[in-house]
Amino acid sequence: MGPVGPKSPPIEPLRPVPDKVMTMRDAIAAYVHDGDTVCLEGFTHLIPTAAGHEIIRQGRRNLTVVRMTADIVVDQMLAADCVTKLVSSFVGNSSAGSLGELRRRIERGVPKPLEFEEYSHYGMVGRYLAGAQRLPFYPVRSYAGSDLPSVNPAIRKVTSPYAAVGQEPEELYVVPPIHPDVTIIHAQRADRLGNTQIWGLTGVQAEAVFAARRAVVVVEEVVADEIVRSDPNRTVIPAHAVDAVVACPWGAHPSFAQGHYDRDNDFYRAWSQISADPERLRSWIAQWIHGTRDHTEYVAKLGTELRSRLAVGEALSQPVNYGRRR
C-alpha cells in the first residue's frame, strides 16, 4: 500500500442564496439617502412611478435625479422638494403637454432654481455605457454641429489615437461615465434573487443598473425561480446586479406595463393642467401621495373602473424549445 496523502477537506454544503424581496418602504429607506444621485429609468414603458412616490413619502432631500426622459414622476419629485439637480436629455409630458413645476424652476427659478445638466438621448446612453463598463468616457460623434457642448462643459473633445492613412486624427466629443448611488427600474417580473425579465419596449435599464452602485428592481410580480429559468433569454438584468426586489402591481402607472395594463392617457393629458397651478399640484401630492400609506392605497384610490378600462387582453407569445440532453 502506497503512502497516504493528505485528506481532502470536506465538501461544504451549498449556502442558501439570500432572498432579496423587500417592501417598497424598506427598499427606499435602505437604498435612497439624502444627497444621493438616483437614476429612475424606463423609456415611456415601465416607468418606476411608485418608487418615486415612496421617495416623496419618505421626504428625501437634495437628490440628483438622472433620467433620460424626465417626465411626470420627475415633476412630482420636484414639487415635493426632493430634487436639486436633474440630469436628462428630454423633459416633457410625453407628447401630452408640459411639466409645470420643472418649467417654473428652470425658466424662472420659482420657487427655487433647478440645476439642469443636459445631454442628447444618445449622450445619456453613452454615459450609462461608460458607467456600466467602467470606461473613463464614451465618444459621441453626433454632437458635431450641436450647441449642446456650449451649454454643458462636461461634453468635451478628445483626439482619436487612430487615423486613416493620409488623414489627420479625428477630434470627437465625449461624455463622462455616470455612476448613480442607486438605480431604480420597473419590470414585469423577477425571481426572489433578482433575475429580472422585461418584454415589450425596453430602454437602457440594464446599462443603468450596471452603472450604479446599488440597484432596486420593482416588478409587477415576483415569480418562482423555475419560471425565470424556463425562459432565460428574457432576463435583461441578472441577480448579481440587483440589491432589492420589490413586488408592486401597477407600480408604473400612469405609464404602462406590457401584458399587465395600458397607458393612462387621460392622466397624462390632465397633468399639464394640474402642474400648471402650483397650489393644485401640491394639493394633488397631498391627496395622492402623502394621503396614501403606500402604492396599494394609491391603486385602490384609482378605482376599479379605471383599472378595468386600462386592463389588457391576452396576446401570448409562442413557446420556444430550448432543448435538453436525453
Side-chain angles (χ1 to χ4, degrees):
M1 186 175 186
V4 177
K7 290 184 178 180
S8 299
I11 298 174
E12 294 186 8
L14 291 174
R15 297 178 182 177
V17 180
D19 187 321
K20 298 175 185 175
V21 177
M22 303 175 72
T23 66
M24 181 76 83
R25 182 179 291 113
D26 289 347
I28 297 304
Y31 295 110
V32 181
H33 310 102
D34 289 355
D36 275 356
T37 295
V38 180
C39 170
L40 300 165
E41 272 308 340
F43 190 79
T44 303
H45 177 224
L46 298 171
I47 295 169
T49 308
H53 288 181
E54 186 58 29
I55 290 170
I56 292 171
R57 287 190 193 94
Q58 295 193 19
R60 293 294 179 267
R61 292 290 180 268
N62 215 24
L63 301 178
T64 294
V65 166
V66 181
R67 175 156 171 71
M68 193 162 74
T69 53
D71 49 10
I72 286 176
V73 69
V74 173
D75 215 27
Q76 293 168 350
M77 293 173 70
L78 282 169
D81 224 15
C82 299
V83 182
T84 54
K85 180 178 178 179
L86 174 64
V87 181
S88 183
S89 55
F90 165 89
V91 294
N93 182 7
S94 299
S95 76
S98 266
L99 303 175
E101 186 70 15
L102 186 144
R103 291 193 65 166
R104 285 187 288 273
R105 291 181 181 236
I106 289 180
E107 294 175 354
R108 295 186 280 125
V110 175
K112 59 182 71 172
L114 171 67
E115 185 180 351
F116 181 38
E117 189 173 322
E118 185 179 7
Y119 296 87
S120 64
H121 271 5
Y122 191 65
M124 287 292 292
V125 172
R127 294 201 68 191
Y128 286 132
L129 287 168
Q133 298 174 40
R134 302 304 187 262
L135 296 172
F137 55 79
Y138 195 87
V140 182
R141 179 175 275 125
S142 58
Y143 281 137
S146 165
D147 62 356
L148 271 177
S150 69
V151 298
N152 185 348
I155 301 172
R156 301 177 185 175
K157 270 188 173 180
V158 298
T159 301
S160 170
Y162 305 103
V165 176
Q167 294 184 7
E168 292 294 318
E170 183 179 6
E171 284 200 332
L172 293 169
Y173 282 105
V174 296
V175 293
I178 192 157
H179 296 290
D181 293 298
V182 60
T183 286
I184 305 173
I185 67 160
H186 196 89
Q188 280 100 337
R189 69 188 183 198
D191 63 22
R192 62 193 173 86
L193 308 178
N195 293 298
T196 304
Q197 298 192 328
I198 297 175
W199 55 94
L201 180 63
T202 57
V204 289
Q205 289 97 321
E207 293 83 356
V209 164
F210 279 112
R213 297 178 176 90
R214 302 183 295 274
V216 175
V217 170
V218 185
V219 291
E220 292 295 315
E221 58 179 339
V222 176
V223 298
D225 302 359
E226 293 75 22
I227 292 177
V228 170
R229 291 194 193 111
S230 73
D231 195 2
N233 281 42
R234 220 177 293 275
T235 301
V236 174
I237 297 160
H240 69 265
V242 176
D243 295 279
V245 178
V246 176
C248 186
W250 286 79
H253 178 268
S255 72
F256 68 108
Q258 190 78 44
H260 289 267
Y261 46 88
D262 206 349
R263 187 178 190 264
D264 189 350
N265 289 313
D266 289 345
F267 186 98
Y268 279 92
R269 283 189 287 266
W271 187 254
S272 292
Q273 285 70 47
I274 293 170
S275 65
D277 181 342
E279 289 188 14
R280 186 178 175 188
L281 173 52
R282 279 154 185 78
S283 175
W284 187 93
I285 289 173
Q287 179 183 357
W288 285 89
I289 301 179
H290 291 304
T292 55
R293 286 181 299 177
D294 53 27
H295 198 68
T296 300
E297 285 198 1
Y298 171 91
V299 172
K301 196 177 181 71
L302 290 175
T304 55
E305 189 279 329
L306 182 139
R307 297 200 303 275
S308 176
R309 178 162 52 83
L310 297 180
V312 295
E314 283 190 344
L316 299 175
S317 66
Q318 293 298 312
V320 297
N321 183 2
Y322 282 97
R324 60 184 299 178
R325 290 182 180 174
R326 293 185 177 182

